[in-house]
Amino acid sequence: MIGFTILGLILFVGSVQVVRCKDLVHGVLWLAMTLMTTAATFAYLDAGFVAGIQVLLYTGGIVILMLFAVMLTKRLDGASIRIDSDGWLRAGIVGFLFFAGLTAVILNSPMPAKGQIGENSLEKVGTLFLTRHLAAFEFLSILLLAAMIGAIVIARKKDA
């Protein structure tokens, strides 16, 4: 329990730093630390396959791609991110609503206890993920869509 709490605190601090960081390169590096901590959390929960996929796809692929994109974009050279004062309030409200919705979905999902999945666990996890836990999957896809739309809106303001 202590290890899980420590990983949770590191994950929380890294996530907050990703959002608060004004330098894009440092933000991507904080994101890499956050994704590695997520992989460590999966490994702590005996989900080695998911931890490996987390490291390979997200930390190894996405973060490196983001670093190359940030470093090769000359328009953002030395740029910092400006956040409006009312943006924090809106972000807090949206973050709280997302957290409340995700918590409700997780608490209402019948998850087996640790170690009770048994043989062919990957097949069972895939089946459960796309049947019983489909609401959580769709909720996360909506979050990713909102992040993509937000990134497009921020990028378009600088072009216009």
Side-chain angles (χ1 to χ4, degrees), residues 39-160:
T41 305
F42 285 134
Y44 183 79
L45 295 172
D46 290 335
F49 177 77
V50 180
I53 294 298
Q54 177 78 21
V55 170
L56 288 174
L57 288 180
Y58 291 105
T59 308
I62 304 282
V63 170
I64 299 301
L65 181 67
M66 290 174 70
L67 275 174
F68 277 123
V70 168
M71 290 181 175
L72 292 176
T73 305
K74 292 184 181 187
R75 185 179 70 154
L76 298 175
D77 196 21
S80 65
I81 302 169
R82 187 179 64 82
I83 301 174
D84 298 332
S85 60
D86 63 336
W88 287 108
L89 177 63
R90 287 182 288 187
I93 291 170
V94 170
F96 175 76
L97 291 174
F98 174 75
F99 179 75
L102 192 59
T103 302
V105 168
I106 289 172
L107 291 178
N108 291 326
S109 297
M111 293 291 289
K114 181 178 172 183
Q116 290 184 351
I117 295 178
E119 294 295 318
N120 297 324
S121 60
L122 290 179
E123 181 181 344
K124 289 183 181 180
V125 167
T127 303
L128 287 173
F129 197 51
L130 295 175
T131 55
R132 281 189 196 163
H133 306 295
L134 185 63
F137 181 72
E138 291 300 326
F139 201 68
L140 288 173
S141 68
I142 290 171
L143 173 70
L144 290 173
L145 177 66
M148 184 177 67
I149 291 171
I152 291 170
V153 167
I154 290 171
R156 293 297 297 162
K157 283 184 181 177
K158 296 200 186 273
D159 287 343

